[in-house]
Amino acid sequence: MSDYNWCHGPKCHTNKTQDRIRGVKGSKVLRTRKILQNQWNANNQFSHFCSQGCWNDFAYAHWEEFIRLHPRLEPLETPIEDPVKTKHTTSYGYTYTNTEIKEVDNNTNP
Ligand SMILES: [Zn+2]
């Protein structure tokens, strides 16, 4: 495994920052950032993206492919207990209603 990845942001190489400047005088370029692999980015997207902006640009450019790879044809559901509505009155006389929504506890251990 190499110790770095190139940033996958499709526009990374167009950002005008000094750390992206490479090449010899008269033949300069802005280059995609190289990302060192370390313990802080080992298990997250920042092992392949140099910034939140590059991550967003990539997702925006390829979201239709992601949807094709991971289609959601049915909704997901979380079982809940019957919601409990409670009415509260503040010391200033303002009243508001709170609805408590609790997930069903499927933990069978006491
Ligand atoms: Zn980048």
Side-chain angles (χ1 to χ4, degrees):
M1 189 182 114
S2 69
D3 60 349
Y4 67 86
N5 289 324
W6 293 108
C7 175
H8 281 50
K11 297 188 288 187
C12 190
H13 66 290
T14 65
N15 289 315
K16 296 177 180 67
T17 61
Q18 287 192 356
D19 68 306
R20 289 180 171 92
I21 298 172
R22 292 291 184 274
V24 296
K25 200 168 187 174
S27 185
K28 296 284 187 182
V29 295
L30 291 170
R31 183 178 292 165
T32 294
R33 278 182 173 157
K34 188 187 271 190
I35 304 164
L36 184 66
Q37 302 303 289
N38 56 42
Q39 61 179 324
W40 291 282
N41 65 16
N43 296 309
N44 62 55
Q45 74 271 33
F46 294 110
S47 60
H48 288 77
F49 298 93
C50 75
S51 67
Q52 188 70 47
C54 282
W55 166 244
N56 288 350
D57 291 343
F58 181 84
Y60 187 75
H62 301 291
W63 69 270
E64 288 174 313
E65 294 167 49
F66 302 151
I67 299 298
R68 279 196 294 276
L69 281 170
H70 305 281
R72 166 115 37 249
L73 304 177
E74 293 177 7
L76 301 178
E77 293 182 344
T78 301
I80 60 169
E81 296 176 3
D82 291 342
V84 177
K85 274 189 178 181
T86 48
K87 194 172 181 178
H88 303 273
T89 304
T90 67
S91 58
Y92 300 107
Y94 175 76
T95 59
Y96 63 97
T97 306
N98 188 44
T99 304
E100 186 179 0
I101 299 173
K102 289 173 72 175
E103 287 185 27
V104 171
D105 186 5
N106 286 327
N107 187 354
T108 53
N109 296 326

